[in-house]
Amino acid sequence: MMISLLLILVLFEQVCVSPVTRIVVLPKPYEDNKVKAVINEKFFLTCFSQNQASTSSLKWLSPSGQPISNDPTLRIYTALNNQQLMLHFEKLEPTDAGLYACQGVHDGLPDQVKIELTLEKKISFHDTKLEQFIKAGQDQLVQCHASSIPGPEIAWFRHGINTNLKNDHKYQITNDGLVIKNVQIEDEAIYLCQASVTSTGEIKRAQINVQVMHQPIWDVKPIDTDGVNGQDIVVRCKANAKPVPKYSWFRNGIMLVGERYVFTADSLRILKSNVNDRGTYTCEAENNSGKISANFRINILVGPVIAPLEEVRVLEGNEARVKCIVREAFPKAQITWKYADTLENISPSSDSSIEIVADSIEDSNDNLVGSWSELRIKPADRRYNRNITCVASNKAEVNDRQVRLIVEYKPTLLINSESKEFYYSWLNVDSSGSSGSSSSHVSRGASVLMTCIATGEPKPQITWFFKTEQIKHDNVKYILHKQQLGLSQLEVIPDGLEDFGDYQCKAENTVGSSYRNIELRMATSPSLPPMLVLQATKPESVNFQVTVSNEAESNGGLPIHTIKAQWRFLNSDWSNQNEKNFPVTNAERLLVHVGALMPDTEYLFRVAGVNKVGLGKWSQEIKIKTLSRRQPEPIRVLSQEDCTASTKCYIEWTSDSNGGSPIRDYLVKWRRLSYKDSSNKHVDTNRLGRWSDVVVIKAPITNYEITSILPNSFYEVDVVARNDIGPSASQPFRIRTLPGQIGELEAFRKPNESVINRIILICGSIIAAIILFIIIDVLLLMKFDCGLLAILTKSCTNQKEITIDFKPTPTKIVQHTNKSNHPYKPISQTEDHTGNASIPLRPKENV
């Protein structure tokens, strides 16, 4: 009993009497004086006293009770910093965990604090490859090793974290990783190995690409291939396998080697193949899981080789035969026929004269094959006289050869616009070559070129005859041109009437000959006068429509090239006529304008046609009276509607008739019609438009440049021609300016705004002048007792003379005394070389 009482007293003394420690350790420990740190990281503990004056000799003790050195070269050392003793760990290791003590002396008594250092290790993966290969058909382990302190929990996922794998018939989770049972190709995927520590909340994942190793499976299996002789052959062979397979190529069991064979990852290329490359080939794909092979056949195709074709000749009406022979081809060539010029197929179904006969040779599996085809035409006529193409084709290529089929026939003479039935010439041609002249004399006639064209096979030879005699080239009367097969031109220069008549053109070849008469006729001046119809009458001009005939009987055999117009006063004769020539084009109707006539005057008009022979008959005379003098006709605008600038526009015009009196001048004015606003819409200003001032343009000027107009606007322009009789009728036209740089205010400004602005400006100027006048008057009144108004009205009683120097010199003031009855004494008229002027002012009153 006594012993128990003593023990209780001792414990009470230890609890109640022992002093409280003054030492503090940071970081502040949590439960049971524990401090956490992370392995492989730097860390330090700080020890200091709450009462530095009463505590001394701080030191750190290791878990083994040994003082820790202050040598900074060690991994664990202490350091004193401002009365604080720090314990440094440069890199924490698992063995550093334990109970550390910080000791000191407080008021002469020992004092200490013990801290338990507990260590944690972050999650790390080791011996875990991010790409792993497993074999198909077996149970395989996907390795994943993770470590941490505290130890981690492991979970597995496939295709993302939503597919948590559990232990079942397919998967088994072990300490070394994930076991996949009976691996198949479908098990190839991205797997996640997840390590987590619940107490720290740390989590990490390793993404592992799992690939299933399997023997090759065909992706692209080689197939029988046709190659073309002389060209490269490419055969594809591709297998899916893990790891990637190795390919080998064989022909008839022998591995392919040599420069002609080019191997790639999934193909074989045979360079410049030939018929010897035909045979059975093998592609083999192999890896460490197995191998597969496939056989295929290569056939070498040979394009058709066509034998040369010779020209075929046949008389018209007989049977034509054209044979095409293919010497070799593989496979057998198909032969067809075409016309070379149109590429139209030749077939019995479209032409009953056609028959095609072909061979009956069967195709061979390996050997080259020849073939032929014969085209038969019965009866053959000149339609088949053309190039014919034999086309031979097979799977290798398409070849062709042309052959000329010539169907011979006797010449046929043509009549067309070049080779006519008759030609014209004439006599009475003077040496200068003009016709119809009074001084002309009978000499050589006008030359004429006659053409003869013939078709035939062979091409015919052409000769000329006149009155049964063959014409020879003499370079005087007869000149032969273009003397070639199928074409001849004869130039005839007649001497007299005996050279006119029928000429014969003869065309001849080996098949036969043909004749045709070509008549040389005598040409005359036009026998049918033109028809004259009045179109319009003006004071100084008239317009006619003249109709001429193109018929040979009417124009004398030669085309009318000129219309001669004559006119005279009604009371005169044709010896005093005026005349004018008008060239004739191919048209039958010609518009004739005769000007420079007198107003209000009667005339007689007539016209006649002129050809190379001379002047023809005159038309019926027409009496016409010109109009009296009057105002000019409205002007005709020559310039474009669109201007070439934004603030100016060039306009040009002409006047078709001056009304019988010379135009004196032109009156030009304009006004704005519309403009485009900021939204690019037209704004009509017709009601607000105001005509500009009239600009007078003296004749003969017929152009003007309008300036100071606004951009992006339509303007109406009126140009009036004026003569002594009066102005022409008004016929306004539009112009449009280009867009330009104008503000919104300017774009919407009304025409009358400018007038208002001017009135405001004038009124403002007047008010400003009045104010300035009043200021000057007040200043002069204050200084000289005589205002500006009094000076101007000469009402000042006492005067002072102020000399104002208009040069930059000081103003001179002259004092006047009132010595006479003339208070306003005139200024001295003596010459002042300084240019000063004196202004009399009323003197100040005497004080």
Side-chain angles (χ1 to χ4, degrees):
M1 187 69 178
M2 289 297 294
I3 295 173
S4 298
L5 184 60
L6 288 174
L7 288 173
I8 291 172
L9 290 174
V10 171
L11 290 174
F12 177 80
E13 181 182 5
Q14 291 292 326
V15 175
C16 297
V17 179
S18 63
V20 178
T21 179
R22 300 293 183 180
I23 297 175
V24 178
V25 174
L26 296 178
K28 186 176 181 180
Y30 63 102
E31 60 180 12
D32 298 332
N33 282 353
K34 292 182 179 180
V35 174
K36 290 182 180 180
V38 179
I39 294 176
N40 295 328
E41 301 289 336
K42 289 184 178 182
F43 186 72
F44 68 91
L45 294 171
T46 302
C47 175
F48 62 92
S49 173
Q50 294 180 348
N51 188 353
Q52 296 179 358
S54 59
T55 304
S56 61
S57 302
L58 292 175
K59 61 181 178 181
W60 280 97
L61 302 179
S62 66
S64 62
Q66 300 297 322
I68 299 175
S69 172
N70 59 359
D71 184 0
T73 61
L74 299 177
R75 186 175 62 83
I76 303 175
Y77 64 93
T78 62
L80 185 64
N81 181 16
N82 195 20
Q83 302 300 320
Q84 295 179 353
L85 186 62
M86 304 177 70
L87 175 60
H88 287 275
F89 298 86
E90 287 300 316
K91 184 178 181 181
L92 286 169
E93 295 182 355
T95 57
D96 294 335
L99 191 63
Y100 291 81
C102 179
Q103 290 183 350
V105 177
H106 176 66
D107 292 336
L109 298 175
D111 191 8
Q112 73 174 3
V113 172
K114 291 186 177 181
I115 298 297
E116 183 179 355
L117 178 62
T118 61
L119 296 181
E120 295 179 350
K121 180 183 178 183
K122 291 186 177 180
I123 299 173
S124 63
F125 291 96
H126 56 89
D127 297 331
T128 302
K129 295 181 179 180
L130 299 183
E131 185 176 40
Q132 299 185 32
F133 294 89
I134 58 178
K135 291 183 179 182
Q138 303 177 13
D139 294 350
Q140 294 286 295
L141 173 67
V142 179
Q143 295 183 347
C144 178
H145 299 89
S147 62
S148 66
I149 298 176
E153 296 178 3
I154 303 299
W156 285 88
F157 303 90
R158 180 184 178 186
H159 297 306
I161 60 175
N162 294 327
T163 54
N164 192 2
L165 303 182
K166 304 293 184 180
N167 290 324
D168 55 17
H169 67 282
K170 183 64 179 178
Y171 302 105
Q172 182 177 355
I173 299 174
T174 68
N175 293 333
D176 293 328
L178 175 68
V179 176
I180 303 176
K181 301 176 182 179
N182 190 20
V183 174
Q184 301 298 319
I185 296 178
E186 301 83 56
D187 294 323
E188 188 171 283
I190 301 296
Y191 291 80
L192 294 180
C193 175
Q194 176 179 290
S196 60
V197 178
T198 303
S199 61
T200 62
E202 185 183 7
I203 185 171
K204 278 190 178 181
R205 299 185 183 97
Q207 183 173 285
I208 303 173
N209 182 10
V210 176
Q211 299 193 35
V212 177
M213 294 188 297
H214 58 87
Q215 72 175 20
I217 301 172
W218 289 121
D219 274 350
V220 179
K221 192 174 182 180
I223 60 175
D224 294 346
T225 303
D226 293 333
V228 178
N229 187 35
Q231 298 182 10
D232 294 355
I233 300 175
V234 177
V235 181
R236 291 197 62 199
C237 175
K238 185 176 182 181
N240 180 12
K242 295 288 178 68
V244 176
K246 176 183 177 183
Y247 296 91
S248 301
W249 300 83
F250 304 88
R251 179 170 179 257
N252 298 328
I254 302 175
M255 182 174 289
L256 298 180
V257 292
E259 296 180 352
R260 291 184 59 243
Y261 303 106
V262 179
F263 307 100
T264 64
D266 62 352
S267 67
L268 164 67
R269 179 182 291 272
I270 302 177
L271 303 178
K272 295 182 179 180
S273 64
N274 54 60
V275 293
N276 295 325
D277 291 320
R278 289 182 296 181
T280 301
Y281 291 74
T282 301
C283 174
E284 184 177 277
E286 182 180 10
N287 66 2
N288 54 12
S289 297
K291 69 178 178 179
I292 56 175
S293 62
N295 296 331
F296 61 95
R297 181 172 179 79
I298 290 181
N299 295 316
I300 304 300
L301 308 181
V302 179
V305 179
I306 304 175
L309 301 178
E310 295 183 356
E311 181 181 86
V312 177
R313 285 183 174 270
V314 63
L315 286 176
E316 188 173 28
N318 294 341
E319 182 181 40
R321 292 191 177 191
V322 184
K323 191 171 186 177
C324 180
I325 299 176
V326 176
R327 291 176 176 172
E328 63 178 28
F330 183 82
K332 180 183 177 180
Q334 200 71 21
I335 301 177
T336 57
W337 297 88
K338 291 184 178 182
Y339 294 116
D341 51 353
T342 63
L343 300 180
E344 177 188 356
N345 286 325
I346 303 175
S347 170
S349 61
S350 58
D351 190 344
S352 59
S353 301
I354 300 296
E355 181 183 6
I356 297 177
V357 180
D359 64 40
S360 57
I361 301 175
E362 296 294 333
D363 198 356
S364 174
N365 291 331
D366 293 321
N367 299 325
L368 299 178
V369 183
S371 57
W372 59 267
S373 176
E374 186 174 70
L375 172 65
R376 299 174 183 177
I377 305 174
K378 184 178 182 180
D381 57 39
R382 65 190 67 184
R383 291 182 300 125
Y384 303 102
N385 198 350
R386 57 205 298 187
N387 288 331
I388 294 177
T389 302
C390 168
V391 181
S393 61
N394 63 4
K395 292 172 64 176
E397 60 182 333
V398 178
N399 289 324
D400 61 66
R401 277 188 183 272
Q402 286 189 13
V403 60
R404 179 67 178 177
L405 174 59
I406 301 175
V407 180
E408 297 182 345
Y409 59 95
K410 80 173 190 174
T412 299
L413 292 162
L414 304 180
I415 299 175
N416 52 33
S417 59
E418 186 177 2
S419 178
K420 304 176 182 177
E421 291 185 89
F422 49 84
Y423 293 84
Y424 287 89
S425 182
W426 64 95
L427 298 176
N428 297 327
V429 178
D430 60 19
S431 59
S432 64
S434 62
S435 60
S437 174
S438 60
S439 62
S440 62
H441 59 277
V442 176
S443 61
R444 300 183 67 191
S447 66
V448 60
L449 190 65
M450 298 187 294
T451 302
C452 181
I453 301 176
T455 62
E457 188 60 49
K459 290 285 187 181
Q461 183 73 37
I462 296 177
T463 53
W464 291 86
F465 295 87
F466 182 59
K467 297 179 180 179
T468 71
E469 291 186 8
Q470 184 175 350
I471 297 175
K472 302 294 184 181
H473 178 91
D474 60 11
N475 208 30
V476 177
K477 180 184 290 187
Y478 301 117
I479 302 172
L480 293 173
H481 298 278
K482 291 188 178 179
Q483 197 65 10
Q484 60 193 43
L485 295 177
L487 171 64
S488 179
Q489 289 181 324
L490 173 64
E491 183 180 357
V492 179
I493 306 174
D495 289 337
L497 294 175
E498 66 275 6
D499 293 325
F500 292 84
D502 288 336
Y503 288 74
Q504 288 79 40
C505 170
K506 177 184 178 182
E508 185 177 15
N509 64 7
T510 57
V511 181
S513 58
S514 299
Y515 295 85
R516 183 169 77 84
N517 287 338
I518 299 177
E519 183 182 0
L520 179 58
R521 296 178 179 179
M522 175 72 75
T524 64
S525 60
S527 59
L528 181 65
M531 182 181 296
L532 185 63
V533 178
L534 179 64
Q535 293 288 312
T537 305
K538 297 182 180 180
E540 293 184 332
S541 65
V542 293
N543 293 332
F544 296 101
Q545 178 177 282
V546 179
T547 303
V548 297
S549 175
N550 290 329
E551 297 295 331
E553 294 78 6
S554 302
N555 58 25
L558 298 175
I560 295 175
H561 59 75
T562 301
I563 292 294
K564 183 180 290 294
Q566 290 185 348
W567 64 94
R568 64 178 176 84
F569 295 112
L570 182 63
N571 55 1
S572 65
D573 55 33
W574 287 110
S575 61
N576 295 320
Q577 92 282 359
N578 294 292
E579 69 178 26
K580 185 177 181 181
N581 293 328
F582 298 91
V584 177
T585 59
N586 294 329
E588 293 183 356
R589 290 179 174 83
L590 176 69
L591 293 178
V592 173
H593 173 79
V594 179
L597 302 179
M598 297 180 63
D600 198 20
T601 305
E602 290 184 323
Y603 290 89
L604 286 179
F605 286 86
R606 66 180 183 179
V607 293
V610 181
N611 62 10
K612 290 183 179 181
V613 177
L615 182 66
K617 293 182 180 181
W618 290 101
S619 68
Q620 183 180 0
E621 298 174 357
I622 297 180
K623 184 175 74 170
I624 298 174
K625 184 178 181 180
T626 55
L627 301 178
S628 60
R629 296 180 186 274
R630 59 193 61 205
Q631 297 95 334
E633 289 188 358
I635 62 101
R636 179 162 51 87
V637 182
L638 301 179
S639 53
Q640 301 294 323
E641 177 179 318
D642 290 331
C643 305
T644 58
S646 59
T647 59
K648 58 185 179 180
C649 191
Y650 175 83
I651 59 174
E652 185 176 3
W653 63 88
T654 187
S655 182
D656 293 327
S657 175
N658 59 13
S661 178
I663 293 177
R664 191 174 63 211
D665 51 34
Y666 298 92
L667 307 180
V668 182
K669 62 180 180 179
W670 60 90
R671 66 175 178 176
R672 195 179 185 196
L673 288 181
S674 64
Y675 60 88
K676 287 187 177 180
D677 59 16
S678 58
S679 61
N680 207 31
K681 294 182 178 179
H682 273 288
V683 178
D684 187 13
T685 62
N686 276 332
R687 293 173 299 173
L688 304 177
R690 177 183 296 230
W691 287 106
S692 68
D693 295 336
V694 175
V695 178
V696 180
I697 308 296
K698 295 294 184 181
I701 299 174
T702 58
N703 60 75
Y704 181 68
E705 186 174 64
I706 302 174
T707 58
S708 301
I709 53 180
L710 296 177
N712 211 23
S713 301
F714 281 99
Y715 280 83
E716 183 180 35
V717 181
D718 189 16
V719 179
V720 175
R722 187 167 61 175
N723 61 9
D724 291 337
I725 308 301
S728 66
S730 174
Q731 193 166 311
F733 58 93
R734 286 200 319 175
I735 60 173
R736 178 171 58 187
T737 56
L738 294 178
Q741 299 296 327
I742 60 173
E744 291 295 326
L745 182 61
E746 178 64 19
F748 291 95
R749 185 171 61 86
K750 306 293 187 300
N752 60 349
E753 287 183 359
S754 60
V755 178
I756 297 174
N757 292 339
R758 290 178 185 176
I759 294 173
I760 294 174
L761 180 61
I762 293 172
C763 294
S765 300
I766 294 173
I767 294 172
I770 293 173
I771 294 173
L772 181 62
F773 182 86
I774 294 172
I775 292 174
I776 294 174
D777 185 68
V778 172
L779 292 176
L780 290 175
L781 183 64
M782 292 174 62
K783 187 171 182 63
F784 302 109
D785 295 328
C786 187
L788 180 60
L789 186 60
I791 294 173
L792 295 177
T793 59
K794 299 182 180 181
S795 60
C796 289
T797 57
N798 297 323
Q799 297 183 14
K800 291 181 182 179
E801 187 176 286
I802 302 175
T803 302
I804 299 176
D805 190 355
F806 290 100
K807 293 183 179 180
T809 58
T811 303
K812 177 183 177 182
I813 302 176
V814 180
Q815 185 73 37
H816 292 264
T817 58
N818 190 5
K819 295 181 180 182
S820 67
N821 295 326
H822 303 283
Y824 299 102
K825 183 179 179 179
I827 299 175
S828 175
Q829 299 297 319
T830 60
E831 184 178 357
D832 187 0
H833 296 285
T834 62
N836 297 331
S838 297
I839 301 176
L841 300 174
R842 187 178 66 184
K844 294 183 180 180
E845 296 180 355
N846 293 330
V847 180

